[in-house]
Amino acid sequence: MDKIEQNDGTNRDELIMQQQREIEKEISDSTPLVSEQLPITCLNAEYLGDEVFTSKIQDLAGKYKFLRRTRPDGNCFFRAFAYAYLEHLISNKDEYLRFKDLAEKSKDKLVQLGFPSFTLEDFHDTFMEVVKRVDPASGSTDQVCDELHKVFNEQGYSDYVVVYLRLLTSGKLQEEADFYQHFIEGNFTIEEFRHQEVEPMYKESDHIHIIALCTALGVGVRVEYMDRGDTHVKAHDFPEGSTPKVFLIYRPGHYDILYPN
Amino acid sequence: MAGSALRRLMAEYKQLTLDPPEGIVAGPVSEDNFFEWEALIAGPEGTCFEGGVFPARLLFPPDYPLSPPKMKFTCDMFHPNIFADGRVCISILHAPGDDPMGYELSAERWSPVQSVEKILLSVVSMLAEPNAESGANVDAAIMWRERREEFNEIAKRLVRKTLGIPS
């Protein structure tokens, strides 16, 4: 690629962007895509001497037994959600079958919504392959959980799962554009928002992404918010009033997975 | 990761061979390396580039299609959205956030469901309708805006050059 990178001064902005990407990549590559289960108190090391956060970690440790970190690469919400939900399905066979059926049929729906079937296919195929690899009937719970962990740390599979969830999210936003339009800040149309903030990899997720994905899949998610305000972590369920199957912790800019007591 | 990229590139190559868009030929430079393609693009009819056949190279990253390829014309080009060294500068070759040219919000960006075909069709549109607001080649952008006749003359010379006709 060196030939194309050669610059002539007009290209300085691109070089700066490239350098920034390399720095971000270095940070993110040092974190596994999805970590092992860790004690909640592992968070303390990041906030030594910080009373607000220390008290919040204590609060969180009363409700949750473990945390699983995800790589901070902008895809963390989607990766964390997919991992935590598939892990939930390993011990919930009926719901696994419901989800597998919904996932199978989702491709035709996206094509109907206007996604190009040719490029969609690869992502759907890989997504279904991952779903089938964690079939609760394929082994003991421990074996299937190991398989899940393995497949989510293989970048090729893990990233394609993220892409497919992004497409499902984008599809939901389009399907119910009139509703979601109200949640979009700034001058974005739904169409622009989907192409700029949802479909491309590495773009961070906001409430609107979470609501659209949870609604599309019929899965409740609880997010515990840990920021500077108050002394307790604040929980929020998406969609409101649902029974959460997936538990996540949000710290400004990043999502990790939680395991309730 | 490169495995899924290779699979996708092979599928795209097959698709482009079976059902090529008008005025576009594209494929790997060699069967040993699917990550470098050559494309031939016919200058769109009714424009100053009509009649020309413009060769370009596409370089695909190992994480394609999560990230877009880079594209560079290998012939002499004079166009507001092509750098002097041939690099093509259009929004679909960039992910949102990468904004060397301050593209408009509505401009089409790279995402994993885009394809080589979509890129090449965008390049054909770019040849037909330069975007003089985001100038990769400022001289070309100014000439396009203010001295169209002169711009058309240069384009016609480039067309003859790609066909090997002495100017």
Side-chain angles (χ1 to χ4, degrees), chain A residues 23-89:
Chain A
I23 294 168
E24 284 166 3
K25 195 169 177 304
E26 210 175 293
I27 295 168
S28 86
D29 284 356
S30 58
T31 316
L33 288 165
V34 184
S35 81
E36 301 290 340
Q37 284 186 336
L38 304 164
I40 301 292
T41 48
C42 76
L43 293 174
N44 280 325
E46 291 169 53
Y47 303 102
L48 287 178
D50 186 317
E51 277 177 38
V52 177
F53 276 95
T54 310
S55 125
K56 289 193 173 191
I57 294 166
Q58 208 164 5
D59 177 34
L60 197 70
K63 296 189 266 183
Y64 296 90
K65 51 188 178 202
F66 298 118
L67 170 143
R68 210 186 269 283
R69 292 181 190 272
T70 63
R71 182 178 291 180
D73 62 358
N75 296 316
C76 55
F77 164 71
F78 290 103
R79 208 179 313 268
F81 173 90
Y83 188 105
Y85 186 55
L86 290 174
E87 193 175 30
H88 165 79
L89 294 181

Side-chain angles (χ1 to χ4, degrees), chain A residues 79-139:
Chain A
R79 208 179 313 268
F81 173 90
Y83 188 105
Y85 186 55
L86 290 174
E87 193 175 30
H88 165 79
L89 294 181
I90 294 173
S91 42
N92 291 273
K93 195 159 193 271
D94 288 346
E95 200 176 335
Y96 171 84
L97 294 173
R98 176 201 76 90
F99 179 72
K100 192 175 137 189
D101 184 54
L102 183 150
E104 199 78 70
K105 290 174 180 154
S106 63
K107 187 194 139 191
D108 290 344
K109 197 165 168 189
L110 289 179
V111 172
Q112 276 167 20
L113 285 168
F115 285 84
S117 139
F118 170 65
T119 44
L120 187 63
E121 198 149 354
D122 210 13
F123 300 112
H124 181 251
D125 287 352
T126 305
F127 187 77
M128 289 316 296
E129 192 186 328
V130 170
V131 170
K132 285 170 190 162
R133 272 171 73 170
V134 298
D135 186 334
S138 66

Side-chain angles (χ1 to χ4, degrees), chain A residues 4 21 119 122 196 202, chain B residues 7-8 63 87 98 105 113:
Chain A
I4 276 187
R21 270 198 298 267
T119 44
D122 210 13
Q196 302 267 342
Y202 318 115
Chain B
R7 189 175 65 225
R8 164 73 176 258
D63 71 342
R87 276 177 305 125
D98 288 358
L105 269 185
V113 284

Side-chain angles (χ1 to χ4, degrees), chain A residues 1 3-6 8 10-11 13-14 17 21 115-116 118-120 122-123 126 155-156 159-160 163 167 188 192 195-196 199-203, chain B residues 1 4 7-8 11-12 15 59-61 63 65-67 70-72 83 85 87 94 96 98-100 105-107 109-115:
Chain A
M1 297 227 182
K3 241 183 285 170
I4 276 187
E5 300 290 8
Q6 255 173 26
D8 45 26
T10 49
N11 199 16
D13 289 345
E14 283 202 2
M17 274 171 4
R21 270 198 298 267
F115 285 84
F118 170 65
T119 44
L120 187 63
D122 210 13
F123 300 112
T126 305
Q155 188 125 30
D159 283 349
Y160 268 42
V163 171
L167 299 177
F188 277 127
E192 286 161 5
H195 298 325
Q196 302 267 342
E199 291 169 15
M201 285 294 275
Y202 318 115
K203 292 295 273 189
Chain B
M1 209 158 58
S4 30
R7 189 175 65 225
R8 164 73 176 258
E12 289 205 48
Q15 174 88 356
L59 284 179
F60 296 89
D63 71 342
L66 307 184
S67 303
K70 294 180 196 298
M71 183 171 173
K72 185 181 181 175
F83 283 105
D85 66 359
R87 276 177 305 125
H94 292 278
D98 288 358
D99 246 339
L105 269 185
S106 57
R109 297 309 189 97
W110 181 256
S111 90
V113 284
Q114 302 283 19
S115 59

Side-chain angles (χ1 to χ4, degrees), chain A residues 162-230:
Chain A
V162 170
V163 171
Y164 197 67
L165 291 187
R166 286 182 175 278
L167 299 177
L168 287 172
T169 306
S170 173
K172 191 69 194 172
L173 292 175
Q174 188 188 340
E175 196 185 350
E176 289 172 30
D178 290 346
F179 173 71
Y180 287 105
Q181 182 67 61
H182 304 297
F183 296 90
I184 292 181
E185 289 166 24
N187 292 324
F188 277 127
T189 64
I190 276 278
E191 189 78 7
E192 286 161 5
F193 185 80
R194 291 169 49 225
H195 298 325
Q196 302 267 342
E197 301 291 329
V198 183
E199 291 169 15
M201 285 294 275
Y202 318 115
K203 292 295 273 189
E204 289 180 14
S205 299
D206 219 327
H207 284 188
I208 182 170
H209 300 73
I210 306 181
I211 297 167
L213 182 64
C214 294
T215 312
L217 300 181
V219 178
V221 175
R222 173 166 297 169
V223 180
E224 299 280 358
Y225 288 88
M226 197 159 98
D227 51 29
R228 293 240 148 250
D230 295 331

Side-chain angles (χ1 to χ4, degrees), chain B residues 147-158:
Chain B
R147 308 194 303 278
R148 188 67 59 88
E149 288 295 306
E150 206 179 322
F151 183 92
N152 289 347
E153 272 314 306
I154 292 180
K156 275 179 200 144
R157 256 198 333 264
L158 293 172

